[in-house]
Amino acid sequence: MLDSLRSRLILLLLGMLTFMTVAMGFAALGAMQRDSAAQARQALDVASRVFQEALSNRATQLGNSVRLVASDFGFRQAVALREQDTISSVLENHGSRIDATLTVLLTPQGELIASSGQDVSAEQITQLFKDMRLSGQDSVSDIVHIGHNAYQMVMVPVKAPQLIAWVAMGFALDPALAGQIKALTDLDISFVFGRGTAGAELLASTLTTAQQMDLTSAPAPTALKVLDQPILTTERPLDRAGTISALLHLSTAPWQETYQQARTQLLAIFGLGLTLAVLFAVALARSITKPLQLLTQFARAIGLGQALQAPSIKRGEVGLLSETLQKMQQDIRQREQQILFQAQHDTLTGLANRHLVELQLPTLLNSQPLWLLLINIKDFKHVNDAFGYKNGDSLLVQLSERLVKARPVASMIARLGGDEFLLVSPTTIQQQDLPALQQLLSYDFTLDNSRLNLKLALALYQAPAPAAASAGTANDALRRAEIAMVHAKTSHQLIAEYQPGQDESHQRELTLLHDLPLSLQSGHMFVVYQPKVSLRGRSAQSAEALIRWQHPQLGFVPPDEFIRLAEHSGLISRVTDWMIVQVIDQLAAWRRQGIELTVAVNLSAYDLLSSDLPGQIAALLAQHQLPASALALEVTEGAVMQDPEQVIQNLQTLREMGIELAIDDFGTGQSSLAYLKRLPVHEVKIDRAFVKDIEHNHNDALIVQTTTELAHGLGLLVTAEGLENLAGLAKLQAAGIDKVQGYYFAKPLKAADLTGWLIEFQQNNDKWFPEVS
């Protein structure tokens, strides 16, 4: 143990030595970088001051010369008389005396009178005048850009005694000036026009041609990083507008050379010290690396789940670690087996779970023909509610034990979840054998000292002959068994076998559910209207709105089909909301055309259970400025039975708003008379089943007659739907029916077609009401 601790301490010291060496090296190099930056900044500052002083001296010299010219009496007289030769001679003499590059004489308005030393256009002189007169002073000094050159200019007024002209002289910022500045500062200098813009122009520079190429496009430096670039550049604006700059360039070669020498020496020292330290550490640790290497290999094998014999090490901490790893290997094997079993089996019954089924079913399907039998406990939730979850679990355990002992012998028995079990058998199972198996599994369960008989739903699927196994075929088999279970739960015997074509029907339902929300927005769903005709007034002032779906791939989808799917999937509220919005929009459009109709919309049980429904309808009516009487709502008796108290409360609210309410399909429900007196409705609609054959069927006629008398006795209107012929119309008139709708008058029409039908019916309703005896 002491040897091991000593070795660790030595290694720690070596690490600390390495860290300190590296830190010192970085500190030294960092100090050199900072010192280099400080020296470079000082050199640039000194050069900048010398440069500014040189420009200031030149400006002073230039100003004195210009003022001397402006005060000369002969020059002023020549200017006043516009003696061009005298003016040019004076300008040239004074300009050459001070080596001025440019001399110009301007009118008080800035127009060119004379110039010397440069070929300058009138437009450039006008711009010069504007640029230099921006300060508003009598004498102006600035750096200006004319043509392709920059000049240090001084402009002074010529007065006699009033202002008669402006005289200006300037020195060019040319290579000669740049060379003079370099001689003073020992730095390269460049004059640039428009730096920082796409059209930057190099006016003069002491740099080499290769260095000048990238100068105008390079960004201005924000910090001095001496060792990161061969030349440091600092920028000094020269003119008031900031478009002409002087760039001072400092070579970093001396600092680069010093830095490289220091870094090479430090790297050599660091490399030598680290090499010696590594050699010493390797020699010192050699005695303990071999057992640690063996333990590392053993630990890696444990991590990979491989069976490897533990190394035989008996001394010190390493020996103890070897024994611990060996014990860990044994514990991991046991826990892996336990975890694997738990991951693939149901914790309550010990049967296989869905995960194990999905793993093994492809292999079973590939090896032999199989029969899949799904078993589901009907109303198992009621068992949990009545006996408690503990007894419910006991029931599941008892059922799993019966499945294990049942015949035929199964290749796999699984609990897929909840109260759903799966039996996979290679032995033939016929549908006629299922009632006996159902009875065997259903009777005499013991729960809390009570005997209980279950209702079990059995669904059978025969897998096809062995083929290429895949996860897809296994999923298909389970899905088809579950499709059969859907049919089993709705059958009288609670038994069903998968039939060819049911899978396609299931896929059709999935497609409809997927496409239904999109079809509401795409125009594939639309509204049609079937008129309701008043028999007494022979008028049509109301209609029923019906939804239609023309699917782009499946064609026309019957409303009963997709409305049932929407109710079961919870999408019916979206359909109803869309329907109400469409109808109210159309009602508003008709009102603008002078057509006043009352249109009825059907509501489902899910809609009637929503306490928000009245408020939503009221908001839509108010938005379109429609009276509540423009909208009618129809509900079925089955919808009322879902929650009579909540439904009646919502209906009462809607009635108080002024919306007409009707009971649809009256006579087909189970509690018509019991709830009719409680429902706050205005109208009952007799189902078409009693109307379509009323002229032939005496019982139908009697039911219609009795229902009409009962409804009228309660103060309700009666509408008959499904009228198809003239003979039936006579029977309904005789029974005292108030309103009729059906194909006899009109099939469901689109809004535009209904408008045309209303006009025709109003003008010629005798077509539908011939005299009948």
Side-chain angles (χ1 to χ4, degrees):
M1 181 178 295
L2 292 176
D3 291 342
S4 176
L5 292 175
R6 187 179 299 110
S7 299
R8 295 176 185 176
L9 181 59
I10 292 174
L11 291 175
L12 177 62
L13 292 174
L14 289 175
M16 293 177 61
L17 176 62
T18 301
F19 173 76
M20 292 178 62
T21 304
V22 172
M24 290 175 64
F26 275 109
L29 294 176
M32 291 184 64
Q33 288 182 331
R34 291 189 296 272
D35 182 63
S36 299
Q39 294 181 25
R41 185 180 295 108
Q42 183 179 5
L44 287 173
D45 289 344
V46 171
S48 178
R49 287 195 294 271
V50 171
F51 171 70
Q52 293 292 351
E53 184 65 23
L55 286 183
S56 178
N57 292 337
R58 287 166 60 89
T60 300
Q61 179 186 5
L62 192 61
N64 293 335
S65 298
V66 175
R67 291 185 184 90
L68 181 61
V69 173
S71 61
D72 183 86
F73 176 79
F75 178 72
R76 286 185 292 175
Q77 185 177 12
V79 170
L81 297 177
R82 289 292 191 273
E83 296 177 358
Q84 196 68 29
D85 293 339
T86 304
I87 293 172
S88 298
S89 176
V90 173
L91 291 178
E92 184 176 356
N93 291 336
H94 280 272
S96 61
R97 187 178 303 136
I98 61 171
D99 294 329
T101 313
L102 176 64
T103 59
V104 293
L105 182 67
L106 308 175
T107 67
Q109 292 76 29
E111 296 177 357
L112 179 64
I113 298 174
S115 65
S116 66
Q118 285 287 341
D119 185 12
V120 180
S121 67
E123 291 80 6
Q124 293 173 341
I125 291 300
T126 301
Q127 186 61 42
L128 166 66
F129 184 77
K130 292 180 180 179
D131 291 342
M132 296 194 66
R133 288 293 296 158
L134 288 177
S135 65
Q137 300 174 358
D138 286 344
S139 65
V140 183
S141 175
D142 198 0
I143 307 292
V144 295
H145 183 261
I146 303 176
H148 297 287
N149 296 292
Y151 298 89
Q152 184 180 14
M153 297 289 296
V154 174
M155 185 166 64
V156 174
V158 179
K159 299 180 179 179
Q162 300 297 323
L163 177 65
I164 59 173
W166 290 91
V167 61
M169 292 187 182
F171 294 125
L173 274 62
D174 53 11
L177 175 61
Q180 295 174 10
I181 300 300
K182 180 177 181 181
L184 292 174
T185 62
D186 199 26
L187 297 182
D188 285 301
I189 186 168
S190 301
F191 299 117
V192 179
F193 173 70
R195 178 164 171 80
T197 64
E201 180 183 357
L202 181 63
L203 303 176
S205 179
T206 61
L207 294 174
T208 64
T209 303
Q211 292 172 333
Q212 293 178 20
M213 293 181 63
D214 298 329
L215 177 62
T216 56
S217 60
T222 57
L224 290 180
K225 296 182 179 179
V226 177
L227 303 179
D228 293 344
Q229 47 192 329
I231 295 177
L232 293 179
T233 300
T234 184
E235 183 176 1
R236 293 293 183 269
L238 298 179
D239 61 332
R240 295 188 183 91
T243 59
I244 304 173
S245 302
L247 304 181
L248 301 176
H249 312 289
L250 174 66
S251 174
T252 62
W255 292 286
Q256 294 278 2
E257 183 179 357
T258 303
Y259 177 79
Q260 292 295 339
Q261 293 176 355
R263 187 173 65 173
T264 301
Q265 293 174 355
L266 287 174
L267 287 175
I269 295 172
F270 174 73
L272 179 61
L274 186 60
T275 301
L276 294 176
V278 170
L279 292 175
F280 179 73
V282 170
L284 184 64
R286 185 179 296 275
S287 61
I288 62 172
T289 54
K290 186 174 182 179
L292 288 178
Q293 184 178 10
L294 294 175
L295 286 179
T296 301
Q297 295 174 354
F298 182 53
R300 184 181 295 109
I302 294 175
L304 297 175
Q306 300 173 351
L308 186 66
Q309 185 66 31
S312 179
I313 302 174
K314 300 299 182 183
R315 64 184 178 124
E317 302 150 338
V318 180
L320 179 61
L321 180 59
S322 176
E323 295 175 0
T324 303
L325 288 176
Q326 188 173 6
K327 180 66 169 57
M328 182 187 300
Q329 183 186 42
Q330 297 172 358
D331 293 342
I332 289 175
R333 287 178 183 174
Q334 294 177 358
R335 291 175 184 173
E336 283 180 346
Q337 294 174 357
Q338 181 181 3
I339 292 172
L340 182 62
F341 182 85
Q342 292 177 349
Q344 297 179 348
H345 292 80
D346 179 50
T347 56
L348 178 63
T349 63
L351 300 178
N353 59 14
R354 181 179 287 272
H355 175 64
L356 184 58
V357 170
E358 293 173 349
L359 289 176
Q360 295 187 358
L361 189 56
T363 304
L364 295 174
L365 288 171
N366 192 41
S367 61
Q368 56 192 334
L370 292 177
W371 281 260
L372 277 65
L373 182 64
L374 273 182
I375 301 100
N376 189 272
I377 303 175
K378 184 175 177 58
D379 298 327
F380 179 66
K381 181 179 182 297
H382 296 163
V383 176
N384 280 332
D385 294 340
F387 294 91
Y389 286 96
K390 182 177 181 181
N391 285 310
D393 291 345
S394 174
L395 177 64
L396 295 175
V397 172
Q398 293 180 55
L399 179 57
S400 67
E401 292 172 350
R402 294 188 184 188
L403 289 173
V404 172
K405 299 175 183 178
R407 292 290 183 270
V409 177
S411 300
M412 178 186 296
I413 300 175
R415 181 189 176 203
L416 299 181
D419 59 335
E420 189 174 45
F421 293 83
L422 173 67
L423 187 146
V424 181
S425 175
T427 306
T428 302
I429 302 176
Q430 301 291 342
Q431 185 172 358
Q432 55 265 29
D433 300 331
L434 296 183
L437 179 60
Q438 184 186 51
Q439 184 175 4
L440 176 65
L441 296 174
S442 301
Y443 284 90
D444 291 336
F445 286 89
T446 302
L447 288 183
D448 200 13
N449 299 322
S450 300
R451 292 287 181 178
L452 179 67
N453 296 328
L454 296 178
K455 290 184 178 180
L456 298 180
L458 275 62
L460 179 65
Y461 169 65
Q462 180 182 354
S470 67
T473 57
N475 290 335
D476 290 343
L478 287 174
R479 187 182 69 253
R480 289 167 182 168
E482 290 171 351
I483 292 173
M485 177 57 71
V486 173
H487 293 276
K489 289 181 178 180
T490 58
S491 69
H492 177 69
Q493 290 185 319
L494 297 178
I495 293 174
E497 183 177 4
Y498 174 81
Q499 302 297 328
Q502 291 178 344
D503 200 9
E504 290 76 8
S505 176
H506 183 67
Q507 290 298 327
R508 173 184 170 88
E509 292 182 353
L510 292 178
T511 300
L512 292 177
L513 286 175
H514 175 270
D515 294 346
L516 190 149
L518 300 177
S519 296
L520 292 173
Q521 306 299 329
S522 63
H524 297 145
M525 280 192 176
F526 55 93
V527 181
V528 293
Y529 301 87
Q530 187 172 39
K532 297 180 180 180
V533 176
S534 171
L535 298 184
R536 184 172 304 173
R538 294 190 179 186
S539 60
Q541 297 177 339
S542 58
E544 179 181 3
L546 302 168
I547 190 170
R548 295 291 183 264
W549 187 1
Q550 188 67 31
H551 195 280
Q553 283 79 39
L554 303 178
F556 178 74
V557 183
D560 292 345
E561 180 181 5
F562 70 81
I563 288 176
R564 172 181 56 83
L565 292 175
E567 288 179 340
H568 292 167
S569 63
L571 293 174
I572 190 62
S573 60
R574 298 180 63 175
V575 176
T576 302
D577 292 344
W578 178 86
M579 187 74 173
I580 292 175
V581 170
Q582 297 297 313
V583 169
I584 290 179
D585 285 345
Q586 184 58 52
L587 283 171
W590 276 330
R591 293 266 171 161
R592 289 191 294 270
Q593 299 173 18
I595 301 174
E596 296 189 2
L597 282 178
T598 299
V599 176
V601 177
N602 291 279
L603 297 182
S604 72
Y606 298 92
D607 303 319
L608 290 171
L609 293 176
S610 172
S611 58
D612 297 331
L613 178 65
Q616 293 173 354
I617 294 177
L620 285 171
L621 291 172
Q623 178 183 346
H624 291 80
Q625 298 181 351
L626 289 175
S629 59
L631 184 67
L633 300 175
E634 297 182 2
V635 299
T636 61
E637 298 170 63
V640 176
M641 293 301 295
Q642 295 290 326
D643 187 348
E645 297 302 326
Q646 179 64 42
V647 170
I648 291 174
Q649 180 180 347
N650 281 343
L651 291 177
Q652 185 63 43
T653 303
L654 292 168
R655 181 186 176 98
E656 293 172 356
M657 290 169 53
I659 294 176
E660 295 185 9
L661 304 174
I663 294 294
D664 197 13
D665 300 336
F666 184 76
T668 61
Q670 300 178 353
S671 303
S672 304
L673 299 179
Y675 281 97
L676 184 58
K677 63 181 181 180
R678 295 183 54 194
L679 295 176
V681 298
H682 304 82
E683 177 185 346
V684 294
K685 296 185 69 176
I686 299 177
D687 187 71
R688 68 183 308 274
F690 304 113
V691 177
K692 62 185 181 66
D693 297 323
I694 191 172
E695 70 275 14
H696 306 300
N697 193 313
H698 175 72
N699 291 334
D700 286 347
L702 182 60
I703 291 173
V704 171
Q705 178 74 35
T706 304
T707 302
T708 303
E709 293 176 356
L710 173 63
H712 284 167
L714 294 174
L716 303 176
L717 297 176
V718 180
T719 297
E721 54 184 351
L723 175 64
E724 297 182 356
N725 51 56
L726 180 60
L729 176 62
K731 290 287 186 180
L732 296 178
Q733 286 177 318
I737 294 295
D738 299 296
K739 296 180 183 179
V740 176
Q741 67 181 96
Y743 275 35
Y744 173 71
F745 287 105
K747 65 180 182 180
L749 303 170
K750 291 187 177 181
D753 298 331
L754 178 62
T755 303
W757 183 91
L758 289 172
I759 295 173
E760 181 184 0
F761 182 81
Q762 183 179 5
Q763 295 174 351
N764 188 24
N765 62 15
D766 291 341
K767 172 183 176 181
W768 289 274
F769 291 98
E771 293 299 328
V772 293
S773 57

